[in-house]
Amino acid sequence: MSGRDALLTEHGPEEWPNLFRVARFYSAVDSLQAQRARTQVMEAVAKMFSEVDVMVTPSSGAQLTATNLTGHPAIIVPNGVRGDDAPPPEHPEDGHPRNVGGPGTPVSLTFLGNLYADAQLAALARAYSGEDAPAMSA
């Protein structure tokens, strides 16, 4: 309320300062509804991990939102470099948030794991990276 948020940089529509400004106007009812929705997401992700040990996904996409909401661990590992035939970035301007990809740029994978299974997820990432991994315990 002091206006100090105006001191933050990058004031585009999707930038943090504007998100902070908008968040000041959420009602208590909206906040409770959001927490209920978060609980439903947590239950759905927990159900999925009752059937699988690890999920492997590209490193961009909805999994970041899911892990931020649920607290499930994620590890990003390198997975090579795009070839010369890769399409150029959508917006090649320096600093543009969509200046990603293009020939010769690195790619990665994300491993998602169950709650409190960080050690097993780290061991898998280490093994995938080609390093000697200690034996995993159940």
Side-chain angles (χ1 to χ4, degrees), residues 16-44:
W16 285 106
N18 288 331
L19 296 175
F20 292 145
R21 288 182 188 103
V22 170
R24 290 192 315 203
F25 299 109
Y26 287 134
S27 70
V29 171
D30 290 336
S31 180
L32 286 172
Q33 293 291 10
Q35 289 305 317
R36 287 183 181 126
R38 180 176 180 239
T39 299
Q40 291 174 337
V41 171
M42 291 171 77
E43 290 169 351

mmCIF file of all heavy atoms in Angstrom, residues 16-44:
data_model
loop_
_atom_site.group_PDB
_atom_site.id
_atom_site.type_symbol
_atom_site.label_atom_id
_atom_site.label_comp_id
_atom_site.label_asym_id
_atom_site.label_seq_id
_atom_site.Cartn_x
_atom_site.Cartn_y
_atom_site.Cartn_z
ATOM 1 N N TRP A 16 6.003 -9.621 -12.269
ATOM 2 C CA TRP A 16 5.697 -9.719 -10.841
ATOM 3 C C TRP A 16 5.083 -8.470 -10.229
ATOM 4 O O TRP A 16 4.130 -8.575 -9.450
ATOM 5 C CB TRP A 16 6.952 -10.119 -10.057
ATOM 6 C CG TRP A 16 7.282 -11.556 -10.222
ATOM 7 C CD1 TRP A 16 8.292 -12.089 -10.969
ATOM 8 C CD2 TRP A 16 6.590 -12.664 -9.650
ATOM 9 N NE1 TRP A 16 8.261 -13.452 -10.897
ATOM 10 C CE2 TRP A 16 7.227 -13.835 -10.084
ATOM 11 C CE3 TRP A 16 5.487 -12.785 -8.823
ATOM 12 C CZ2 TRP A 16 6.810 -15.096 -9.714
ATOM 13 C CZ3 TRP A 16 5.069 -14.050 -8.452
ATOM 14 C CH2 TRP A 16 5.722 -15.184 -8.903
ATOM 15 N N PRO A 17 5.573 -7.261 -10.542
ATOM 16 C CA PRO A 17 4.958 -6.095 -9.890
ATOM 17 C C PRO A 17 3.451 -6.006 -10.139
ATOM 18 O O PRO A 17 2.682 -5.712 -9.228
ATOM 19 C CB PRO A 17 5.697 -4.906 -10.507
ATOM 20 C CG PRO A 17 7.022 -5.467 -10.895
ATOM 21 C CD PRO A 17 6.744 -6.882 -11.342
ATOM 22 N N ASN A 18 3.040 -6.274 -11.364
ATOM 23 C CA ASN A 18 1.606 -6.207 -11.655
ATOM 24 C C ASN A 18 0.847 -7.338 -10.984
ATOM 25 O O ASN A 18 -0.296 -7.156 -10.564
ATOM 26 C CB ASN A 18 1.374 -6.203 -13.156
ATOM 27 C CG ASN A 18 1.793 -4.887 -13.774
ATOM 28 O OD1 ASN A 18 1.751 -3.847 -13.113
ATOM 29 N ND2 ASN A 18 2.222 -4.926 -15.007
ATOM 30 N N LEU A 19 1.453 -8.503 -10.873
ATOM 31 C CA LEU A 19 0.793 -9.605 -10.172
ATOM 32 C C LEU A 19 0.604 -9.256 -8.698
ATOM 33 O O LEU A 19 -0.427 -9.578 -8.094
ATOM 34 C CB LEU A 19 1.599 -10.892 -10.328
ATOM 35 C CG LEU A 19 1.715 -11.415 -11.757
ATOM 36 C CD1 LEU A 19 2.629 -12.633 -11.806
ATOM 37 C CD2 LEU A 19 0.358 -11.741 -12.324
ATOM 38 N N PHE A 20 1.585 -8.585 -8.099
ATOM 39 C CA PHE A 20 1.450 -8.156 -6.707
ATOM 40 C C PHE A 20 0.313 -7.139 -6.557
ATOM 41 O O PHE A 20 -0.451 -7.183 -5.603
ATOM 42 C CB PHE A 20 2.750 -7.539 -6.189
ATOM 43 C CG PHE A 20 3.874 -8.518 -6.041
ATOM 44 C CD1 PHE A 20 5.172 -8.128 -6.303
ATOM 45 C CD2 PHE A 20 3.650 -9.820 -5.628
ATOM 46 C CE1 PHE A 20 6.227 -9.018 -6.163
ATOM 47 C CE2 PHE A 20 4.693 -10.721 -5.476
ATOM 48 C CZ PHE A 20 5.983 -10.313 -5.744
ATOM 49 N N ARG A 21 0.239 -6.223 -7.506
ATOM 50 C CA ARG A 21 -0.822 -5.209 -7.426
ATOM 51 C C ARG A 21 -2.202 -5.840 -7.505
ATOM 52 O O ARG A 21 -3.107 -5.493 -6.751
ATOM 53 C CB ARG A 21 -0.644 -4.193 -8.550
ATOM 54 C CG ARG A 21 0.523 -3.266 -8.365
ATOM 55 C CD ARG A 21 0.595 -2.254 -9.513
ATOM 56 N NE ARG A 21 1.815 -1.498 -9.409
ATOM 57 C CZ ARG A 21 2.891 -1.697 -10.165
ATOM 58 N NH1 ARG A 21 2.884 -2.629 -11.096
ATOM 59 N NH2 ARG A 21 3.966 -0.969 -10.008
ATOM 60 N N VAL A 22 -2.386 -6.757 -8.437
ATOM 61 C CA VAL A 22 -3.682 -7.411 -8.601
ATOM 62 C C VAL A 22 -4.018 -8.243 -7.369
ATOM 63 O O VAL A 22 -5.171 -8.280 -6.925
ATOM 64 C CB VAL A 22 -3.669 -8.287 -9.870
ATOM 65 C CG1 VAL A 22 -4.900 -9.165 -9.945
ATOM 66 C CG2 VAL A 22 -3.582 -7.405 -11.111
ATOM 67 N N ALA A 23 -3.038 -8.914 -6.793
ATOM 68 C CA ALA A 23 -3.286 -9.790 -5.646
ATOM 69 C C ALA A 23 -3.836 -9.035 -4.450
ATOM 70 O O ALA A 23 -4.523 -9.627 -3.615
ATOM 71 C CB ALA A 23 -2.002 -10.524 -5.263
ATOM 72 N N ARG A 24 -3.576 -7.757 -4.346
ATOM 73 C CA ARG A 24 -4.096 -6.981 -3.212
ATOM 74 C C ARG A 24 -5.610 -6.920 -3.225
ATOM 75 O O ARG A 24 -6.234 -6.634 -2.209
ATOM 76 C CB ARG A 24 -3.560 -5.553 -3.253
ATOM 77 C CG ARG A 24 -2.108 -5.451 -2.960
ATOM 78 C CD ARG A 24 -1.700 -4.029 -2.738
ATOM 79 N NE ARG A 24 -2.251 -3.111 -3.732
ATOM 80 C CZ ARG A 24 -1.727 -1.941 -4.016
ATOM 81 N NH1 ARG A 24 -0.638 -1.550 -3.411
ATOM 82 N NH2 ARG A 24 -2.273 -1.153 -4.903
ATOM 83 N N PHE A 25 -6.232 -7.176 -4.366
ATOM 84 C CA PHE A 25 -7.671 -6.996 -4.492
ATOM 85 C C PHE A 25 -8.460 -8.307 -4.457
ATOM 86 O O PHE A 25 -9.652 -8.300 -4.710
ATOM 87 C CB PHE A 25 -7.984 -6.224 -5.777
ATOM 88 C CG PHE A 25 -7.358 -4.861 -5.775
ATOM 89 C CD1 PHE A 25 -6.288 -4.577 -6.599
ATOM 90 C CD2 PHE A 25 -7.814 -3.873 -4.918
ATOM 91 C CE1 PHE A 25 -5.698 -3.326 -6.584
ATOM 92 C CE2 PHE A 25 -7.221 -2.623 -4.890
ATOM 93 C CZ PHE A 25 -6.174 -2.340 -5.722
ATOM 94 N N TYR A 26 -7.814 -9.428 -4.144
ATOM 95 C CA TYR A 26 -8.549 -10.682 -4.003
ATOM 96 C C TYR A 26 -9.333 -10.656 -2.701
ATOM 97 O O TYR A 26 -8.819 -10.289 -1.651
ATOM 98 C CB TYR A 26 -7.601 -11.887 -3.993
ATOM 99 C CG TYR A 26 -7.003 -12.215 -5.325
ATOM 100 C CD1 TYR A 26 -5.652 -12.492 -5.454
ATOM 101 C CD2 TYR A 26 -7.775 -12.243 -6.474
ATOM 102 C CE1 TYR A 26 -5.096 -12.796 -6.671
ATOM 103 C CE2 TYR A 26 -7.225 -12.536 -7.706
ATOM 104 C CZ TYR A 26 -5.888 -12.817 -7.793
ATOM 105 O OH TYR A 26 -5.340 -13.108 -9.003
ATOM 106 N N SER A 27 -10.575 -11.095 -2.761
ATOM 107 C CA SER A 27 -11.393 -11.139 -1.548
ATOM 108 C C SER A 27 -11.076 -12.397 -0.752
ATOM 109 O O SER A 27 -10.452 -13.339 -1.256
ATOM 110 C CB SER A 27 -12.877 -11.133 -1.919
ATOM 111 O OG SER A 27 -13.220 -12.372 -2.523
ATOM 112 N N ALA A 28 -11.523 -12.439 0.474
ATOM 113 C CA ALA A 28 -11.338 -13.622 1.317
ATOM 114 C C ALA A 28 -12.041 -14.822 0.690
ATOM 115 O O ALA A 28 -11.528 -15.939 0.728
ATOM 116 C CB ALA A 28 -11.869 -13.351 2.718
ATOM 117 N N VAL A 29 -13.200 -14.606 0.107
ATOM 118 C CA VAL A 29 -13.932 -15.701 -0.542
ATOM 119 C C VAL A 29 -13.112 -16.261 -1.698
ATOM 120 O O VAL A 29 -12.977 -17.484 -1.845
ATOM 121 C CB VAL A 29 -15.324 -15.217 -1.024
ATOM 122 C CG1 VAL A 29 -16.000 -16.280 -1.881
ATOM 123 C CG2 VAL A 29 -16.190 -14.841 0.162
ATOM 124 N N ASP A 30 -12.547 -15.372 -2.533
ATOM 125 C CA ASP A 30 -11.710 -15.830 -3.641
ATOM 126 C C ASP A 30 -10.501 -16.597 -3.130
ATOM 127 O O ASP A 30 -10.103 -17.611 -3.703
ATOM 128 C CB ASP A 30 -11.243 -14.652 -4.493
ATOM 129 C CG ASP A 30 -12.366 -14.024 -5.300
ATOM 130 O OD1 ASP A 30 -13.368 -14.718 -5.567
ATOM 131 O OD2 ASP A 30 -12.234 -12.837 -5.661
ATOM 132 N N SER A 31 -9.908 -16.125 -2.065
ATOM 133 C CA SER A 31 -8.745 -16.791 -1.494
ATOM 134 C C SER A 31 -9.106 -18.192 -1.001
ATOM 135 O O SER A 31 -8.378 -19.165 -1.256
ATOM 136 C CB SER A 31 -8.169 -15.960 -0.353
ATOM 137 O OG SER A 31 -7.045 -16.584 0.199
ATOM 138 N N LEU A 32 -10.224 -18.318 -0.318
ATOM 139 C CA LEU A 32 -10.661 -19.649 0.147
ATOM 140 C C LEU A 32 -10.976 -20.578 -1.018
ATOM 141 O O LEU A 32 -10.625 -21.761 -0.990
ATOM 142 C CB LEU A 32 -11.886 -19.523 1.055
ATOM 143 C CG LEU A 32 -11.610 -18.979 2.445
ATOM 144 C CD1 LEU A 32 -12.918 -18.714 3.181
ATOM 145 C CD2 LEU A 32 -10.742 -19.940 3.227
ATOM 146 N N GLN A 33 -11.604 -20.054 -2.052
ATOM 147 C CA GLN A 33 -11.907 -20.880 -3.225
ATOM 148 C C GLN A 33 -10.606 -21.336 -3.903
ATOM 149 O O GLN A 33 -10.501 -22.473 -4.357
ATOM 150 C CB GLN A 33 -12.788 -20.108 -4.221
ATOM 151 C CG GLN A 33 -14.170 -19.805 -3.711
ATOM 152 C CD GLN A 33 -15.043 -21.056 -3.560
ATOM 153 O OE1 GLN A 33 -14.597 -22.184 -3.665
ATOM 154 N NE2 GLN A 33 -16.312 -20.833 -3.284
ATOM 155 N N ALA A 34 -9.626 -20.466 -3.957
ATOM 156 C CA ALA A 34 -8.336 -20.833 -4.551
ATOM 157 C C ALA A 34 -7.669 -21.930 -3.730
ATOM 158 O O ALA A 34 -7.079 -22.869 -4.286
ATOM 159 C CB ALA A 34 -7.432 -19.608 -4.652
ATOM 160 N N GLN A 35 -7.744 -21.851 -2.407
ATOM 161 C CA GLN A 35 -7.149 -22.886 -1.559
ATOM 162 C C GLN A 35 -7.880 -24.215 -1.725
ATOM 163 O O GLN A 35 -7.261 -25.286 -1.696
ATOM 164 C CB GLN A 35 -7.142 -22.449 -0.098
ATOM 165 C CG GLN A 35 -6.149 -21.343 0.183
ATOM 166 C CD GLN A 35 -4.735 -21.708 -0.257
ATOM 167 O OE1 GLN A 35 -4.264 -22.819 -0.046
ATOM 168 N NE2 GLN A 35 -4.063 -20.770 -0.910
ATOM 169 N N ARG A 36 -9.188 -24.164 -1.908
ATOM 170 C CA ARG A 36 -9.946 -25.400 -2.166
ATOM 171 C C ARG A 36 -9.513 -26.017 -3.494
ATOM 172 O O ARG A 36 -9.337 -27.235 -3.589
ATOM 173 C CB ARG A 36 -11.445 -25.110 -2.167
ATOM 174 C CG ARG A 36 -11.989 -24.850 -0.786
ATOM 175 C CD ARG A 36 -13.496 -24.642 -0.813
ATOM 176 N NE ARG A 36 -13.962 -24.381 0.532
ATOM 177 C CZ ARG A 36 -14.682 -23.328 0.894
ATOM 178 N NH1 ARG A 36 -15.043 -22.431 -0.004
ATOM 179 N NH2 ARG A 36 -15.054 -23.178 2.143
ATOM 180 N N ALA A 37 -9.360 -25.184 -4.516
ATOM 181 C CA ALA A 37 -8.904 -25.688 -5.812
ATOM 182 C C ALA A 37 -7.496 -26.264 -5.692
ATOM 183 O O ALA A 37 -7.194 -27.315 -6.275
ATOM 184 C CB ALA A 37 -8.947 -24.572 -6.855
ATOM 185 N N ARG A 38 -6.640 -25.606 -4.920
ATOM 186 C CA ARG A 38 -5.273 -26.111 -4.707
ATOM 187 C C ARG A 38 -5.311 -27.484 -4.052
ATOM 188 O O ARG A 38 -4.556 -28.379 -4.420
ATOM 189 C CB ARG A 38 -4.478 -25.130 -3.853
ATOM 190 C CG ARG A 38 -3.063 -25.580 -3.600
ATOM 191 C CD ARG A 38 -2.281 -24.522 -2.828
ATOM 192 N NE ARG A 38 -0.930 -25.002 -2.615
ATOM 193 C CZ ARG A 38 -0.383 -25.156 -1.426
ATOM 194 N NH1 ARG A 38 -1.050 -24.838 -0.337
ATOM 195 N NH2 ARG A 38 0.849 -25.605 -1.307
ATOM 196 N N THR A 39 -6.193 -27.660 -3.077
ATOM 197 C CA THR A 39 -6.323 -28.964 -2.417
ATOM 198 C C THR A 39 -6.740 -30.029 -3.417
ATOM 199 O O THR A 39 -6.225 -31.154 -3.393
ATOM 200 C CB THR A 39 -7.347 -28.867 -1.260
ATOM 201 O OG1 THR A 39 -6.854 -27.918 -0.316
ATOM 202 C CG2 THR A 39 -7.545 -30.210 -0.582
ATOM 203 N N GLN A 40 -7.640 -29.696 -4.326
ATOM 204 C CA GLN A 40 -8.062 -30.659 -5.345
ATOM 205 C C GLN A 40 -6.902 -31.030 -6.269
ATOM 206 O O GLN A 40 -6.745 -32.199 -6.641
ATOM 207 C CB GLN A 40 -9.235 -30.105 -6.144
ATOM 208 C CG GLN A 40 -10.513 -30.012 -5.332
ATOM 209 C CD GLN A 40 -11.636 -29.325 -6.086
ATOM 210 O OE1 GLN A 40 -11.406 -28.552 -7.025
ATOM 211 N NE2 GLN A 40 -12.867 -29.600 -5.666
ATOM 212 N N VAL A 41 -6.090 -30.047 -6.635
ATOM 213 C CA VAL A 41 -4.918 -30.325 -7.471
ATOM 214 C C VAL A 41 -3.948 -31.229 -6.715
ATOM 215 O O VAL A 41 -3.407 -32.194 -7.271
ATOM 216 C CB VAL A 41 -4.231 -29.015 -7.921
ATOM 217 C CG1 VAL A 41 -2.901 -29.301 -8.604
ATOM 218 C CG2 VAL A 41 -5.141 -28.220 -8.829
ATOM 219 N N MET A 42 -3.734 -30.948 -5.430
ATOM 220 C CA MET A 42 -2.827 -31.768 -4.623
ATOM 221 C C MET A 42 -3.318 -33.213 -4.561
ATOM 222 O O MET A 42 -2.532 -34.152 -4.686
ATOM 223 C CB MET A 42 -2.695 -31.182 -3.222
ATOM 224 C CG MET A 42 -1.961 -29.855 -3.191
ATOM 225 S SD MET A 42 -2.023 -29.047 -1.599
ATOM 226 C CE MET A 42 -0.813 -30.013 -0.714
ATOM 227 N N GLU A 43 -4.622 -33.403 -4.400
ATOM 228 C CA GLU A 43 -5.181 -34.758 -4.342
ATOM 229 C C GLU A 43 -5.036 -35.474 -5.683
ATOM 230 O O GLU A 43 -4.712 -36.656 -5.723
ATOM 231 C CB GLU A 43 -6.643 -34.695 -3.912
ATOM 232 C CG GLU A 43 -6.827 -34.294 -2.458
ATOM 233 C CD GLU A 43 -8.264 -33.978 -2.083
ATOM 234 O OE1 GLU A 43 -9.144 -33.895 -2.979
ATOM 235 O OE2 GLU A 43 -8.508 -33.797 -0.867
ATOM 236 N N ALA A 44 -5.249 -34.761 -6.784
ATOM 237 C CA ALA A 44 -5.121 -35.372 -8.111
ATOM 238 C C ALA A 44 -3.682 -35.791 -8.392
ATOM 239 O O ALA A 44 -3.431 -36.884 -8.910
ATOM 240 C CB ALA A 44 -5.619 -34.403 -9.183
#
